[in-house]
């Protein structure tokens, strides 16, 4: 007989739960002619949509055109965990390490940006199932408890006031015997339906007059007498400016392969929990949750009380290859095992969906941007957080087409450090060895903390985690 966690996967559809929502809009036609535009945005995810929306808000007369290779939200923007965090730097610890002199300003920008996103949803009546729940960063091993205490002290030194919860306090919020302590961020994270957010931005763009073509893969960008020519299979666009917002797909600008590492992240979605099952795990605050290992899980409740469970087994393929062939793998079985180790009281619960895909990351774990073609093309990448990453995207969308990189985000003006693929892959392997989850045998085992290899890579700006 198969193990309970495998039986729970028996009916899990290999599809993205968010995109199966009946609110999905009708697909827009592909570009099939030659045309012109003031601004062409390549990529119809969050970065691209916010770039188009804010460019149109800045100048309603600007002719803005969005080209999406698939359909809106079919990439990373439609398959992430739906965590919308105020941090612009993949967490406060990374921000302090990378930008210590500007950390305070980054925090202010991030909080203002989170508030701005909420205001945008209200202004355009976008129903994205927004919940300002906050987040719990959870220790599930003794070394992680020590790390959380050190982290809390570090935040206090930088004027932050983290709420550190002991075992009894975290157990009172969410019931799992694996929880030992946590840091509570009560207001800096919101939960959102990723696809509904993208579809809402799509509608807002269309209402403002932005032209959008789906199923239009861009095959090339080139100079053309003071402008840029963007080519696709059936048409082309001559544009004064271009905003490149393609996440893990970087073929249109070769230099980006030196700064970005595509990695694969995997996710499970459960069936809706019953009232009895919800009572068994507590979780009344509906916080976003994540454990605090080198490789970690992130999880949250949906509007209908399903649990999204993802992370841990982040995968890099040699040479940075990106392919739909990598979207599904045996990671689902490991994720399911970890799920029931965390919530054994939910045995019998089944998974309805499983999916994966590439996300873009760089060694500094922060958005980076730049220009090419004499400043006519702007790009913003590195918005890689599997949990969400909504915050950096909105900033990036703002600065790209409007040419305001230094003005709006001068706190991170030194950009991103080059991320070499070999150290990234090697550190993933070491992280896995350091973080083999204690639940493999059903009994707590000893785990190694952040090992010398990972600490060395961090020192030289080449760190890597899930």
């Amino acid at each position: 007989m198969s193990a309970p966690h495998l039986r729970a996967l028996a009916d899990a559809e290999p599809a993205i739960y968010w995109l199966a929502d009946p609110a999905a809009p009708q697909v827009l036609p592909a570009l099939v002619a030659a045309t012109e535009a003031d601004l062409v945005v390549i990529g119809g995810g969050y970065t691209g949509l916010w770039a188009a929306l804010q460019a149109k808000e800045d100048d309603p007369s600007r002719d803005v055109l969005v080209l999406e290779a698939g359909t809106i939200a079919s990439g990373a923007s439609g398959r992430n965990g739906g965590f919308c965090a105020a941090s612009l730097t993949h967490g406060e610890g990374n921000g302090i390490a990378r930008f210590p002199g500007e950390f305070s300003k980054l925090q202010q920008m991030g909080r203002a940006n989170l508030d701005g996103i909420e205001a945008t949803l209200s202004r355009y009546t976008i129903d994205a199932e927004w919940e300002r729940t906050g987040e719990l960063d959870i220790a599930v091993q003794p070394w992680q408890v020590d790390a959380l205490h050190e982290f809390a002290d570090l935040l206090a030194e930088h004027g932050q006031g983290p709420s550190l919860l002991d075992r009894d306090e975290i157990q009172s919020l969410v019931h799992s015997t694996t929880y030992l302590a946590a840091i509570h961020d009560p207001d800096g994270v919101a939960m959102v339906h990723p696809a509904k957010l993208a579809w809402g931005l799509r509608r807002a763009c269309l209402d403002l007059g932005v032209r959008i073509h789906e199923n239009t893969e861009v095959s090339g960008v080139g100079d053309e007498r003071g402008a840029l020519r963007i080519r696709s299979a059936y048409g082309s666009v001559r544009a004064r400016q271009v905003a490149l917002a393609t996440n893990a797909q970087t073929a249109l600008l070769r230099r980006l392969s030196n700064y970005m590492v595509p990695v694969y992240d995997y996710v499970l979605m459960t069936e809706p929990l019953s009232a009895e099952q919800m009572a068994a795990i507590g979780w009344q605050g509906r916080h976003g949750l994540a454990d605090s290992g080198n490789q970690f899980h992130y999880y949250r409740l949906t509007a209908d009380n399903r649990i999204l469970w993802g992370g841990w087994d982040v995968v890099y393929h040699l040479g940075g290859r990106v392919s739909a062939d990598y979207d599904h793998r045996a990671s689902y079985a490991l994720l399911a095992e970890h799920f029931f180790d965390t919530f054994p009281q939910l045995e019998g619960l089944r998974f309805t969906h499983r999916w994966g895909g590439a996300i873009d990351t760089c060694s500094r774990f922060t958005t980076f941007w730049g220009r090419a073609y004499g400043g006519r093309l702007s790009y913003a990448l590195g918005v890689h957080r599997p949990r969400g990453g909504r915050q950096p995207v909105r900033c990036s969308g703002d600065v790209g087409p409007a040419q305001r990189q230094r003005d709006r985000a001068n706190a991170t003006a030194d950009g991103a450090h080059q991320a070499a693929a070999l150290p990234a892959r090697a550190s993933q392997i070491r992280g896995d060895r350091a973080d083999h989850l204690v639940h493999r045998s059903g009994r707590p085992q000893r785990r190694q903390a952040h090992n010398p290899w990972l600490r060395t890579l961090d020192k030289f700006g080449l760190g890597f985690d899930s």
Side-chain angles (χ1 to χ4, degrees):
M1 180 179 292
S2 62
H5 72 278
L6 296 179
R7 293 197 295 272
L9 287 167
D11 301 319
E13 182 182 357
I16 301 168
Y17 167 78
W18 307 119
L19 299 180
D21 196 285
Q26 184 176 355
V27 177
L28 296 168
L31 177 68
V32 292
T35 187
E36 295 187 357
D38 295 322
L39 169 67
V40 170
V41 179
I42 303 174
Y46 299 131
T47 305
L49 291 170
W50 242 301
L53 181 66
Q54 293 187 286
K56 201 67 175 175
E57 287 179 335
D58 288 345
D59 182 359
S61 68
R62 179 183 284 144
D63 183 16
V64 180
L65 175 65
V66 175
L67 301 177
E68 164 55 39
T71 56
I72 298 298
S74 60
S77 294
R79 63 170 180 260
N80 64 79
F83 285 61
C84 188
S87 174
L88 300 178
T89 57
H90 194 65
E92 290 83 355
N94 189 57
I96 292 171
R98 307 296 184 190
F99 315 104
E102 296 166 313
F103 175 70
S104 177
K105 182 171 184 179
L106 281 168
Q107 290 294 95
Q108 294 172 9
M109 291 170 60
R111 183 52 61 96
N113 203 43
L114 182 62
D115 294 340
I117 290 174
E118 189 167 1
T120 298
L121 300 186
S122 176
R123 186 165 68 254
Y124 289 103
T125 61
I126 295 174
D127 179 12
E129 298 178 6
W130 176 273
E131 295 182 87
R132 197 82 172 251
T133 59
E135 183 178 27
L136 292 166
D137 189 12
I138 301 167
V140 295
Q141 281 293 295
W143 73 266
Q144 294 175 14
V145 176
D146 295 339
L148 286 186
H149 280 273
E150 293 174 5
F151 182 44
D153 291 341
L154 180 64
L155 290 178
E157 291 174 8
H158 286 79
Q160 307 296 303
S163 178
L164 191 59
L165 309 181
D166 62 21
R167 181 173 188 147
D168 290 340
E169 290 170 322
I170 180 60
Q171 293 286 345
S172 70
L173 295 176
V174 188
H175 309 326
S176 172
T177 57
T178 65
Y179 296 170
L180 303 178
I183 283 183
H184 183 204
D185 177 356
D187 190 50
V189 177
M191 297 298 111
V192 68
H193 187 302
K196 286 185 176 181
L197 173 58
W199 296 334
L201 293 173
R202 171 191 188 266
R203 175 180 55 79
C205 284
L206 292 172
D207 289 346
L208 292 184
V210 174
R211 293 183 286 158
I212 300 176
H213 291 287
E214 297 180 279
N215 293 320
T216 303
E217 183 175 1
V218 173
S219 57
V221 178
D223 278 305
E224 186 178 280
R225 300 185 302 278
L228 293 177
R229 174 66 64 177
I230 298 92
R231 299 179 298 278
S232 66
Y234 310 121
S236 67
V237 188
R238 187 176 187 274
R240 293 195 301 110
Q241 289 181 302
V242 173
L244 188 63
T246 51
N247 196 262
Q249 304 290 341
T250 61
L252 293 175
L253 198 58
R254 290 184 180 274
R255 72 172 70 166
L256 297 178
S257 63
N258 295 325
Y259 291 88
M260 193 275 293
V261 177
V263 295
Y264 279 75
D265 178 64
Y266 298 92
V267 179
L268 297 174
M269 183 72 83
T270 74
E271 63 188 345
L273 275 65
S274 67
E276 293 76 14
Q277 289 169 325
M278 286 294 296
I281 61 172
W283 208 347
Q284 295 181 8
R286 301 181 60 83
H287 319 81
L289 305 180
D291 51 61
S292 53
N294 300 311
Q295 291 181 266
F296 60 86
H297 303 97
Y298 57 90
Y299 41 118
R300 49 79 55 98
L301 291 168
T302 64
D304 60 350
N305 288 336
R306 299 169 184 263
I307 297 177
L308 177 141
W309 178 268
W312 182 259
D313 202 7
V314 64
V315 178
Y316 168 79
H317 294 278
L318 189 62
R321 293 189 298 270
V322 176
S323 170
D325 294 339
Y326 303 145
D327 286 356
H328 300 283
R329 71 192 305 268
S331 296
Y332 300 126
L334 186 60
L335 279 173
E337 181 181 358
H338 293 174
F339 177 90
F340 289 109
D341 287 336
T342 303
F343 294 125
Q345 64 269 50
L346 295 181
E347 184 175 348
L349 188 69
R350 300 178 74 84
F351 299 103
T352 61
H353 295 77
R354 53 185 171 89
W355 70 89
I359 53 179
D360 62 334
T361 186
C362 70
S363 64
R364 289 194 175 187
F365 301 112
T366 58
T367 305
F368 65 93
W369 49 83
R371 302 180 188 179
Y373 292 101
R376 293 191 297 276
L377 182 147
S378 298
Y379 57 84
L381 295 170
V383 187
H384 73 288
R385 295 186 74 181
R387 289 186 264 177
R390 227 70 47 224
Q391 292 309 85
V393 204
R394 182 175 179 269
C395 279
S396 302
D398 186 27
V399 301
Q403 301 292 300
R404 293 187 301 218
Q405 281 89 338
R406 301 294 175 179
D407 296 334
R408 287 294 184 92
N410 55 19
T412 54
D414 56 346
H417 191 75
Q418 181 168 344
L422 178 59
R425 173 56 180 160
S427 61
Q428 180 210 344
I429 295 169
R430 302 311 195 281
D432 182 52
R433 290 174 181 169
D435 266 345
H436 271 307
L437 201 71
V438 295
H439 313 124
R440 299 276 179 120
S441 66
R443 300 185 309 275
Q445 299 172 7
R446 190 174 185 83
R447 270 206 294 187
Q448 181 184 358
H450 205 49
N451 62 36
W453 170 260
L454 296 174
R455 290 197 297 269
T456 300
L457 291 178
D458 283 343
K459 179 178 179 180
F460 288 99
L462 292 171
F464 194 72
D465 67 10
S466 66

